[in-house]
Amino acid sequence: MTDDIPVRIRPEIAALPPYRQGKPAGDDGFKLSSNENPFDPLPGVIEAMSDAADVNRYPDASARRLRERLAARFGVDADEVHIGAGSVSVLAQLILAAAGPGDEVVYAWRSFEAYPTLVRVAGATAVEVPLTADFRHDLPAMAASVSERTRVVIVCSPNNPTGTAVTHDEFAAFLDAVPSDVLVILDEAYAEFVTATDAVDGMRVLGLLDRPNVVALRTFSKAFGLAGLRIGYAIGHRRVLDAARSTAIPLAVTGQAESAALASLRAESELLERVRVISARRDRLVAGLRDGGWNVPDAQGNFVWLPAGEHTAAFAEAFEEEGLIVRPFVGDGIRISVGEEESVEKVLRIAASVVQTLPEGHSGRGLAWRA
C-alpha cells in the first residue's frame, strides 16, 4: 500500500488537513479543549430526547416545531429561521450558496479554524484580515478588503479562539461600509456567555437596523449543552435562507436533537443560570491569569486565550502533563475552555509557572512582566 490517493480528488481538497477535534482527557483530568459545557444535561432534556424514540422514521426535514418556537422567540417568521446540524453546518451551506470559484470570502484571522476549510471546499478564495494587537476584529481593514469579487464576509463575535467581542456600534459602522449585496454572516456561537453591554447582538441588528444581507448564526452546542446532538440555527432573510436550504444535506437534523433543543428552550432560565456560573468562572480565570503575569484579552465566550506565540506547543504539553487538555494553535496561542470548578486552580497554577519562561517583551506577558 502507498499513501497515493487511488482516485482523482480535487487538488485543493487533497491538500486540506482533516478536522481534528480536541483530545479527550484521562479519568482524573479535565478536557478544556473543545469549549463544551461542563454541566451534565438536565433530566428534562434527556427525557425529551428519549421520548423521541421513533428512530425508524425520518425526522421532519425542516425541524418545523423548533423553527416556529425560535420564530416566536425572536419575533420573526418561521421561514426566517433555518435549522442545521450545528451552526457550522449552516455556515457551510451559506458559503456554498453565495461563493464559488473566482469569488472571495473575507474573515478575520485568527478566528474559527473551520473558516478556511469551508471556503476552500466551496472553491472560493479566502481573504484573511489580521486581528488587531489586542486580538480583536479589525473591522475597518475588513471593510477595506471587500472587493468586486467578495461574496461573503464572516464576523465572529465573540471571536473563537481569542474571546473578544465586536461592539454594536462597530458592527453598524462596518455594515455601512460594506455593499448591501454582500452576505454578512455574524457567527454568534457564544452569544449567551456575553456580559459586555456594548457587544453586538445579531437579533438587535436584524430587528433595529433592517439589514437583509445579514444572517445571524447561533447554536445549542455551547450554552445549552447539546454539543453531542449537533443542532444550530440561523436567523435572516427568507430568500437568503432558502438558498442555504438548497445546499443542505437533507434530513441532517435528527428528531432527537430537535426535541432536546425544544426542551432546552423550555428550561432556558435554569440553563442560563448555569451560563452565568460559567461566565463568572471565566471572569475569575481572566483575572487570575492576568495576576499571574499573562496578557489575556477580554473574554466574552466560555474560554480564555493565552497568546503564547512560538511557545504554544511547549506550553500545551505542560498543561497536558498535569491532566489538562487544552487547545493549542501552534505559533499563535492556547485556548482554554472554562470547565469544572475544580480545574480553575490547576489552570492558574500551570499558567503562572509557564509565563515566567517567556522572554522579556513577549506579547504574551502582562504589563508587569514586560521590559
Side-chain angles (χ1 to χ4, degrees):
M1 297 292 290
T2 69
D3 290 333
D4 293 336
I5 301 177
V7 297
R8 286 175 286 185
I9 300 293
R10 287 166 51 194
E12 65 272 25
I13 301 301
L16 282 174
Y19 178 80
R20 301 188 187 282
Q21 69 183 112
K23 296 168 57 176
D27 293 339
D28 57 348
F30 297 96
K31 183 186 178 189
L32 308 177
S33 56
S34 296
N35 293 347
E36 296 157 330
N37 191 316
F39 289 100
D40 291 334
L42 291 172
V45 174
I46 296 296
E47 291 170 10
M49 186 172 59
S50 299
D51 289 344
D54 52 345
V55 294
N56 58 311
R57 302 294 185 184
Y58 286 116
D60 176 358
S62 72
R64 177 188 54 81
R65 291 182 301 152
L66 182 57
R67 284 192 303 113
E68 291 176 348
R69 176 67 180 82
L70 290 170
R73 171 193 175 94
F74 294 118
V76 300
D77 293 334
D79 286 342
E80 295 172 312
V81 183
H82 175 43
I83 311 298
S87 59
V88 68
S89 174
V90 182
L91 175 63
Q93 295 162 17
L94 287 165
I95 294 173
L96 282 169
D103 299 328
E104 293 178 346
V105 178
V106 175
Y107 53 84
W109 195 253
R110 175 173 288 274
S111 193
F112 182 33
E113 62 192 293
Y115 295 162
T117 298
L118 296 179
V119 172
R120 187 168 295 183
V121 168
T125 299
V127 177
E128 298 181 344
V129 179
L131 298 172
T132 63
D134 53 354
F135 310 103
R136 303 183 70 245
H137 277 53
D138 189 340
L139 291 179
M142 290 178 66
S145 297
V146 173
S147 72
E148 288 294 324
R149 296 174 58 193
T150 304
R151 297 294 177 268
V152 180
V153 180
I154 308 171
V155 175
C156 185
S157 182
N159 185 48
N160 176 14
T162 63
T164 53
V166 170
T167 71
H168 176 84
D169 289 346
E170 288 171 336
F171 191 68
F174 172 73
L175 292 179
D176 287 339
V178 173
S180 61
D181 60 352
V182 170
L183 173 62
V184 178
I185 301 173
L186 181 59
D187 187 347
E188 297 185 291
Y190 303 92
E192 292 84 0
F193 297 101
V194 173
T195 54
T197 56
D198 62 347
V200 66
D201 180 331
M203 305 312 157
R204 181 185 177 200
V205 169
L206 293 169
L208 295 182
L209 300 184
D210 189 26
R211 304 282 185 161
N213 63 321
V214 175
V215 172
L217 296 183
R218 295 195 177 179
T219 183
F220 287 93
S221 295
K222 312 300 183 184
F224 290 91
L226 302 184
L229 290 176
R230 309 306 303 129
I231 186 161
Y233 60 97
I235 308 290
H237 191 280
R238 175 180 62 84
R239 293 294 292 125
V240 176
L241 297 186
D242 281 347
R245 286 185 266 261
S246 296
T247 72
I249 297 174
L251 304 165
V253 178
T254 67
Q256 291 74 25
E258 183 184 14
S259 294
L262 286 164
S264 295
L265 290 172
R266 290 193 293 270
E268 186 172 16
S269 59
E270 187 173 353
L271 287 169
L272 290 184
E273 180 56 37
R274 292 177 167 191
V275 168
R276 284 187 283 272
V277 170
I278 293 170
S279 296
R281 191 175 296 166
R282 171 203 69 203
D283 292 344
R284 285 194 290 115
L285 266 173
V286 169
L289 290 166
R290 288 173 176 167
D291 289 344
W294 278 96
N295 174 31
V296 178
D298 183 37
Q300 291 294 314
N302 66 335
F303 52 90
V304 295
W305 176 250
L306 301 185
E310 67 276 18
H311 301 272
T312 292
F315 287 2
E317 288 183 9
F319 280 99
E320 186 170 347
E321 287 172 359
E322 296 290 333
L324 299 177
I325 307 302
V326 297
R327 191 62 174 266
F329 296 89
V330 177
D332 290 321
I334 297 171
R335 190 191 68 198
I336 304 176
S337 306
V338 179
E340 294 82 354
E341 174 64 28
E342 295 78 9
S343 68
V344 172
E345 188 58 39
K346 291 187 71 173
V347 169
L348 294 176
R349 176 173 54 81
I350 299 164
S353 68
V354 297
V355 73
Q356 300 179 48
T357 67
L358 290 177
E360 292 184 357
H362 192 282
S363 60
R365 284 186 172 227
L367 292 176
W369 284 85
R370 295 188 193 176

